Amino acid sequence: MSAGALLAASGSGIDFPILNALIFVPAVGALVVALLPRSRPDLARPMGALFAGIGGALALALAWQFDTAAAADAESVGEGFQFISQQSWIPDLGISWHVGVDGISLWLVVLTSVIVPIVLAGVDPHHDPKPYTAWMLLLQAGSVGAFVALDLFLFFVMFEVVLVPMYLLIAGWGYDGRRYAATKFFIYTMAGSALLLVAIIATAVLGSPDSGITFDLVTLAEGQGLATNAARLCFVAFAIAFLVKVPAVPLHTWLPDAHTEAPTAGSVVLAAVLLKLGTYGLLRFGLYLFPEASDWAAPVLVTVGVVGVIWGAITAAMQRDLKRLVAYSSVAHMGFIVLGIFAFTAEAIGGGVIQMVNHGISTGALFLLVGMLYERRRTRQIDELAGIQSAAPVYAGVFTLIMLSSIGVPGLNGFVGEFLILIGSFETRRWWTVVAATGVILAALYLLWAYQRVFHGPPAAADRQTADLRKGELLTLAPFVIAAVALGVYPKPLLNATEPAADTLLEHLVEHSDFELPDPGDPVIVDAGDGADAHDGDDH
Amino acid sequence: MPSLDELFDETFASPGVDWWVLVPQIILVSAALGLLLVASLAPRALPAWASTIVTIATGAAVAVTAAIQWTDWGSAPRSTLAGAFVSDGFSLLITVLVGAGVVMTALVAHSALDRYAMAPPEFAALLLASAAGAVVMAGANDLIVLFLGLESLSIALYVLIALAGRRASARESAMKYFVLGAFSSAFFLYGIALVYGATGGTNLSGISEFLFGTIRDNDYLLLAGVALLLVGLGFKIAAVPFHFWAPDVYEGAPSPVTGYLASIAKAAGFAALARVLYVAVFQQGTAWSPVIVALAFASLAVGAVMAICQSDVKRMLAFSSISHAGFVLVGLAAVDPDIVDGLWANFAGSVGAAADLGDGVSSAVFYLVVYSFMALGSFAVLSAVVGSSTDPDDGTSRHDVSRYSGLARRRPVLALAFAVLLLAQAGVPLTAGFVAKFEVIRAAVGEGIYVLAAVAMVTAVVSAFAYLRVVLAMYAPEGAAASEDDAPTARVSRPRWGDLPLTTVLAIALAVAVTLVIGVLPQTLLEWSADAALSIFP
């Protein structure tokens, strides 16, 4: 691709502001699509997919160029950032356009930039393609921006920018209850971010070095200028905003509605990208910015995570609507990630990051599949479906594979993250981990049970006529299937980037809080990846 | 015993007038008088467009003059008329804002004058007269001058609303505004009297010097006077609990006038409030800052909660403007009592503290400017929507939310502009509304009033719901639009800008442009408002 050529031409790849391009290419695309002539609405989607696709290609190039050796050498979290680009924005307030990636954000950026073009190309919005495409592109730009922002102000802007397109996508292209769901989504998230804004400002005002106010994440986090109590209060506000987004029980009730009523593409992006903003925020702006407060609040947050795992799984099992079931399964999976983040071991944090990516892949694909089924049958009620397997064997096959990946069957991507989280958490949070592990069993229960009801059994007339996957749909699903298998068999590329980042983050935590690693000499912690791989191998 | 001649020589010296300082007012008043003169002597000689052009030119001239004055003189205060009027960065920034507001109001009103059966020259003259009042209020350094400005602004506004007297709602609105406005003016006047009694002067700087320079038994009389001044100004800015007139008056007044009322009249009120609080009675900061905090709390909460209960878009915007006033008050409340005490301790060498002090006022000024454009733009959209509809008299209010349903389909660009303005008012990033809220919260957090900051943000979420309802209605899907009878024809003809009056379109475009540009690149306006805020500190 041209992006690769550009990077090669610029030598090390540092000169080309690839992160800015990742944000601005889709943003410009949104503008171009919005300005397309009214008489040619058919141009909107190809044009949108093109711009989003350029972003995707750039993101892959970014992953290719990411220097894992340099990441491994980084002494602190701040040094771990690569492809940094910094421009002064509002100098009076110490606000700058400061972006960079490390092993934690890298794969989320790639995930976002790749998924949006796929769903843009693969999912038909049915009406008004022009605004739909423009909003999707803006969503991509905002999400990537939030993942790479290294300035609190910039992060907040991006965090909020994501909200508006998602809101309008749900409200404009969703199903029957879309207005209620869209408003609920907006109000929940905005209520969280209202406090977040106050906390961001308080952090900057109180925590800035004497040289002047700054919103720079690295400066604030490495400086640790806040008093203990102020930091704890700010952390609570940050955590609530992110837990709404995750969503963690009991702040999760917007999610089933938003997911169910959103158009398919909206659901996919919501699950794959937007929820990650919450867990990513907890890592980047929770753990990194407020290490002491994170340690202080860890018992509560770990509990919240475990409650999410169990609650989400049980509620998912009770659902009659297939899409709602997938939505609740998200709650369970995201609970695992919260547990991993606040277990404070390198494996658990790394596993959390990997689980973020894998959840994006498997749940995103599940939403695509449910959407395709709805297109054919105009229903998602489990009761009204049966025996689809015989009519649509390929569809059933793909569904099986993705479902197994979501359950976390070894050999598929879902297993790697969950396993690392459980291993890592077991060292510091034994009983929580034991409870959470039952969530894995529950996941098998609700998904397999739903599968049995929908795909097996005697098909009715309508079921028999359910068409199988078309070529275009297969092509849309192919990247998800490939990624699910590839990352399940060989997760090393993911781990290589995330491990050093998780390690430095943990060191930062140990340095700035009372937290101590359970057994500092344990080789499992030093060589987290190898240890995990060894376990991985044992299971096969 | 001196002779009579000596007495005259020594004591009767009329104050020096720095005419150059007064140029904005002179422009405004002479344009207003000229228009009235021509309109009464030769009523047919003046077509509607001519008076609009004169108004626009006058507004632009005022803004440009003030801008030039600011560039030439910097922000340092230049007082004239024996210190009764002062021209500093603060007053000049507000003057620029007033000029821009006049331009936008004239643009929007041009197409609406017919609809409301308002005589163009009278409308223009009254608009300019009220603007002159606003400019006087921004620079008044004497309570009496302040009162003069307040009355010129208010009386012109009473009549502006009543000009559309063919509609009963406008008459009711004008009457309500007049009765309550006169009442509040009386409060204000009595407040002046009490403050005069307590301090022996009406000059704002003089009052400040007196307060810092004397040791007094008690300040009861002064505080009673300040409280009455707050009542009078609180009415002008429609802060809760002095807000009861606002929804009714806003609803009844013609939309262009409502926009002016909600932005420029409010800005002038805030300018006067800031000067009274921070110049005259700054020494009593510990006494008035809790009152401002309370007003801010009440305005934020009542404005937001009432806004979500409204089914009429115009009333919703009225309540939301109350909640915006709350935000500006948060900015004004952001003064640290310790600094006041510190200032008191060493009044002479206290300029260093001003940099910190400026934050609150600076954020309030920034918010005012941004809010004014959003309000002017929003009411311009209302004017365009009503003006373009056939307006059937079916008993529903003229701005019922249902009127806006499916607007995005009928007029995509207008709907998008309105959506931008509403989302900006909700405080969505990359719009000016967000930076404004950010600034105010920063000032509040910087002064340690965390609870107020948190409450402000929570009410922002509540009022976001009110804005979203309108946005949702505009972007209502095909299903809802199809049930309307006129929808098919609307889709065939696809009107875009064509049948909307060009002047209104210009005004809306200007408001949207300002909202977006400041939202992305706020640095310049931030510097201006910081400059302006610093200039009012003694």
Side-chain angles (χ1 to χ4, degrees):
Chain A
M1 277 301 291
S2 59
L6 264 173
L7 278 173
S10 65
S12 62
I14 303 293
D15 303 284
F16 178 68
I18 185 167
L19 295 180
N20 295 346
L22 276 171
I23 299 170
F24 284 112
V25 166
V28 169
L31 205 64
V32 169
V33 169
L35 295 176
L36 280 177
R38 187 183 291 261
S39 53
R40 295 295 305 275
D42 53 312
L43 277 181
R45 270 178 69 207
M47 193 71 100
L50 176 72
F51 275 100
I54 295 175
L58 280 173
L60 290 176
L62 174 79
W64 185 255
Q65 291 280 326
F66 187 81
D67 190 345
T68 45
D73 291 342
E75 304 255 315
S76 69
V77 183
E79 283 178 25
F81 292 110
Q82 302 186 17
F83 303 100
I84 289 175
S85 159
Q86 188 165 18
Q87 263 99 34
S88 181
W89 186 8
I90 310 176
D92 275 12
L93 304 180
I95 291 168
S96 64
W97 177 279
H98 188 187
V99 294
V101 284
D102 67 352
I104 291 171
S105 50
L106 173 68
W107 297 110
L108 296 171
V109 171
V110 175
L111 178 74
T112 309
S113 303
V114 172
I115 270 194
V116 173
I118 292 176
V119 295
L120 256 183
V123 183
D124 182 8
H126 295 299
H127 62 93
D128 296 302
K130 210 173 81 166
Y132 166 87
T133 313
W135 291 127
M136 284 293 277
L137 286 166
L138 203 59
L139 196 57
Q140 181 184 357
S143 311
V144 172
F147 286 133
V148 299
L150 294 182
D151 182 284
L152 293 179
F153 182 89
L154 179 63
F155 172 77
F156 186 81
V157 166
M158 293 296 181
F159 192 72
E160 293 280 280
V161 159
V162 168
L163 203 55
V164 178
M166 195 68 228
Y167 164 74
L168 289 168
L169 280 173
I170 298 176
W173 288 267
Y175 300 104
D176 292 337
R178 59 183 168 260
R179 295 183 60 167
Y180 170 75
T183 310
K184 195 169 176 183
F185 164 75
F186 197 93
I187 296 297
Y188 258 79
T189 323
M190 194 142 178
S193 46
L195 291 177
L196 177 64
L197 180 64
V198 178
I200 282 180
I201 295 171
T203 308
V205 169
L206 302 174
S208 285
D210 296 334
S211 50
I213 187 168
T214 177
F215 284 81
D216 192 78
L217 171 68
V218 179
T219 316
L220 289 170
E222 307 281 344
Q224 289 296 322
L226 261 81
T228 309
N229 275 332
R232 287 179 179 177
L233 274 175
C234 288
F235 174 78
V236 169
F238 272 77
I240 289 174
F242 293 139
L243 288 176
V244 168
K245 205 88 171 183
V246 166
V249 177
L251 305 170
H252 68 291
T253 56
W254 62 270
L255 178 99
D257 288 315
H259 262 322
T260 315
E261 302 303 336
T264 300
S267 297
V268 174
V269 176
L270 190 59
V273 179
L274 261 61
L275 304 190
K276 306 307 176 306
L277 281 176
T279 42
Y280 170 79
L282 284 174
L283 267 175
R284 180 72 85 227
F285 299 92
L287 231 54
Y288 182 37
L289 199 50
F290 305 106
E292 198 281 334
S294 302
D295 182 38
W296 165 73
V300 177
L301 285 160
V302 175
T303 313
V304 164
V306 174
V307 169
V309 171
I310 304 300
W311 186 284
I314 293 175
T315 334
M318 300 294 124
Q319 297 306 314
R320 295 156 186 273
D321 182 317
L322 206 51
K323 209 171 176 186
R324 265 188 114 79
L325 184 148
V326 180
Y328 274 109
S329 85
S330 275
V331 175
H333 282 132
M334 299 307 283
F336 264 114
I337 301 175
V338 174
L339 168 67
I341 291 172
F342 287 96
F344 298 154
T345 61
E347 296 95 325
I349 293 177
V353 175
I354 288 169
Q355 176 74 352
M356 286 189 221
V357 178
N358 289 332
H359 171 259
I361 294 168
S362 46
T363 309
L366 274 180
F367 276 119
L368 273 177
L369 285 162
V370 174
M372 288 168 183
L373 187 61
Y374 183 83
E375 297 281 301
R376 289 167 167 71
R377 298 295 306 279
R378 296 283 142 198
T379 179
R380 296 181 303 249
Q381 297 299 314
I382 296 175
D383 297 349
E384 297 171 19
L385 302 163
I388 305 285
Q389 197 171 29
S390 56
V394 181
Y395 176 83
V398 175
F399 196 100
T400 311
L401 187 118
I402 297 294
M403 174 188 72
L404 292 177
S405 119
S406 179
I407 293 172
V409 171
L412 292 170
N413 63 341
F415 174 73
V416 185
E418 249 168 45
F419 185 72
L420 279 175
I421 290 174
L422 290 176
I423 278 204
S425 315
F426 193 73
E427 291 173 34
T428 50
R429 301 277 173 196
R430 194 148 297 179
W431 289 107
W432 281 269
T433 314
V434 170
V435 179
T438 60
V440 181
I441 303 163
L442 286 171
L445 177 105
Y446 62 75
L447 274 171
L448 289 175
W449 189 29
Y451 184 84
Q452 182 202 350
R453 284 180 291 171
V454 171
F455 288 90
H456 291 245
D463 296 321
R464 257 183 237 113
Q465 285 158 14
T466 307
D468 210 340
L469 290 180
R470 289 185 297 273
K471 271 196 190 128
E473 290 170 327
L474 259 180
L475 218 57
T476 310
L477 287 167
F480 291 93
V481 173
I482 293 169
V485 176
L487 295 178
V489 177
Y490 191 66
K492 192 102 177 115
L494 284 187
L495 293 166
N496 277 346
T498 52
E499 267 168 24
D503 280 338
T504 48
L505 187 57
L506 210 56
E507 279 163 27
H508 178 78
L509 180 77
V510 171
E511 187 184 336
H512 293 289
S513 75
D514 299 336
F515 176 73
E516 281 174 21
L517 290 172
D519 186 4
D522 194 334
V524 174
I525 290 164
V526 179
D527 300 325
D530 298 344
D533 277 356
H535 288 290
D536 215 317
D538 290 346
D539 275 278
H540 280 72
Chain B
M1 185 97 186
S3 74
L4 208 57
D5 285 348
E6 275 174 348
L7 199 68
F8 276 149
D9 281 348
E10 280 177 15
T11 58
F12 193 80
S14 68
V17 180
D18 189 347
W19 292 103
W20 187 212
V21 166
L22 300 178
V23 169
Q25 286 91 318
I26 294 171
I27 296 178
L28 282 168
V29 173
S30 50
L33 292 180
L35 274 172
L36 269 189
L37 206 63
V38 174
S40 50
L41 292 181
R44 283 159 200 282
L46 202 68
W49 56 264
S51 56
T52 300
I53 285 182
V54 170
T55 321
I56 292 172
T58 312
V62 166
V64 170
T65 316
I68 292 175
Q69 287 176 335
W70 199 5
T71 0
D72 274 8
W73 304 338
S75 293
R78 283 168 74 109
S79 64
T80 181
L81 295 168
F85 188 83
V86 65
S87 172
D88 52 14
F90 183 75
S91 74
L92 289 174
L93 183 59
I94 300 291
T95 308
V96 173
L97 180 65
V98 171
V102 167
V103 170
M104 289 193 48
T105 308
L107 283 172
V108 181
H110 180 68
S111 59
L113 289 174
D114 256 0
R115 182 152 34 94
Y116 295 105
M118 300 192 284
E122 273 92 340
F123 178 86
L126 287 165
L127 183 65
L128 293 174
S130 75
V135 171
V136 169
M137 278 173 84
N141 197 35
D142 190 293
L143 289 173
I144 301 295
V145 175
L146 180 54
F147 181 72
L148 287 180
L150 185 74
E151 284 303 279
S152 326
L153 174 77
S154 307
I155 293 173
L157 276 173
Y158 305 144
V159 188
L160 260 186
I161 299 171
L163 261 192
R166 204 190 277 173
R167 287 167 51 205
S169 62
R171 282 200 301 276
E172 180 199 333
S173 164
M175 195 46 117
K176 197 170 261 173
Y177 191 38
F178 171 66
V179 171
L180 290 172
F183 206 51
S184 80
S185 294
F187 273 101
F188 190 79
L189 213 47
Y190 196 39
I192 296 178
L194 293 187
V195 170
Y196 177 75
T199 63
T202 54
N203 187 289
L204 300 188
S205 322
I207 293 172
S208 172
E209 267 162 44
F210 175 82
L211 291 181
F212 276 111
T214 55
I215 297 169
R216 301 174 301 281
D217 276 353
N218 63 60
D219 284 319
Y220 300 140
L221 190 60
L222 173 72
L223 290 179
V226 172
L228 291 181
L229 292 182
L230 282 182
V231 173
L233 290 173
F235 173 86
K236 263 287 112 63
I237 61 175
V240 177
F242 314 113
H243 70 290
F244 289 100
W245 59 277
D248 293 343
V249 172
Y250 282 20
E251 190 190 5
S255 293
V257 180
T258 311
Y260 184 79
L261 201 59
S263 58
I264 302 306
K266 205 169 252 199
F270 269 113
L273 184 64
R275 216 179 267 282
V276 168
L277 293 180
Y278 279 87
V279 176
V281 292
F282 188 60
Q283 185 260 339
Q284 295 289 327
T286 37
W288 57 251
S289 81
V291 179
I292 301 295
V293 169
L295 288 180
F297 263 124
S299 305
L300 287 166
V302 171
V305 172
M306 292 303 288
I308 58 175
C309 306
Q310 306 302 318
S311 63
D312 183 291
V313 175
K314 213 168 171 184
R315 278 185 85 86
M316 185 279 282
L317 284 177
F319 278 109
S320 95
S321 96
I322 292 172
S323 131
H324 285 300
F327 263 99
V328 182
L329 283 170
V330 173
L332 287 184
V335 53
D336 191 344
D338 292 342
I339 298 181
V340 182
D341 289 345
L343 266 188
W344 198 3
N346 50 357
F347 181 51
S350 61
V351 189
D356 278 345
L357 281 172
D359 269 7
V361 182
S362 157
S363 71
V365 171
F366 188 92
Y367 202 103
L368 264 184
V369 174
V370 166
Y371 160 74
S372 295
F373 279 99
M374 296 190 301
L376 283 164
S378 302
F379 285 105
V381 172
L382 294 202
S383 183
V385 169
V386 167
S388 65
S389 76
T390 45
D391 206 32
D393 202 7
D394 55 359
T396 57
S397 70
R398 293 166 61 82
H399 290 285
D400 197 82
V401 178
S402 61
R403 283 267 156 99
Y404 292 77
S405 138
L407 188 71
R409 238 152 245 294
R410 280 172 279 144
R411 299 181 173 282
V413 188
L414 184 66
L416 185 66
F418 198 26
V420 168
L421 291 169
L422 288 174
L423 290 176
Q425 295 199 46
V428 171
L430 298 185
T431 64
F434 168 68
V435 188
K437 287 200 165 64
F438 181 85
E439 269 296 283
V440 166
I441 300 297
R442 189 177 68 88
V445 168
E447 299 301 345
I449 12 184
Y450 302 103
V451 178
L452 188 55
V455 167
M457 284 318 294
V458 171
T459 60
V461 178
V462 176
S463 38
F465 182 75
Y467 303 121
L468 280 185
R469 242 172 26 140
V470 181
V471 175
L472 267 187
M474 290 195 302
Y475 285 88
E478 244 162 328
S483 64
E484 281 176 23
D485 298 336
D486 62 334
T489 51
R491 208 169 303 142
V492 172
S493 61
R494 281 277 180 206
R496 295 174 79 180
W497 288 115
D499 58 333
L500 285 182
L502 183 68
T503 48
T504 314
V505 173
L506 258 178
I508 297 172
L510 189 66
V512 171
V514 168
T515 307
L516 290 179
V517 169
I518 295 180
V520 180
L521 302 168
Q523 175 70 16
T524 316
L525 185 59
L526 281 175
E527 278 169 13
W528 288 352
S529 31
D531 254 19
L534 278 184
S535 72
I536 68 165
F537 286 100

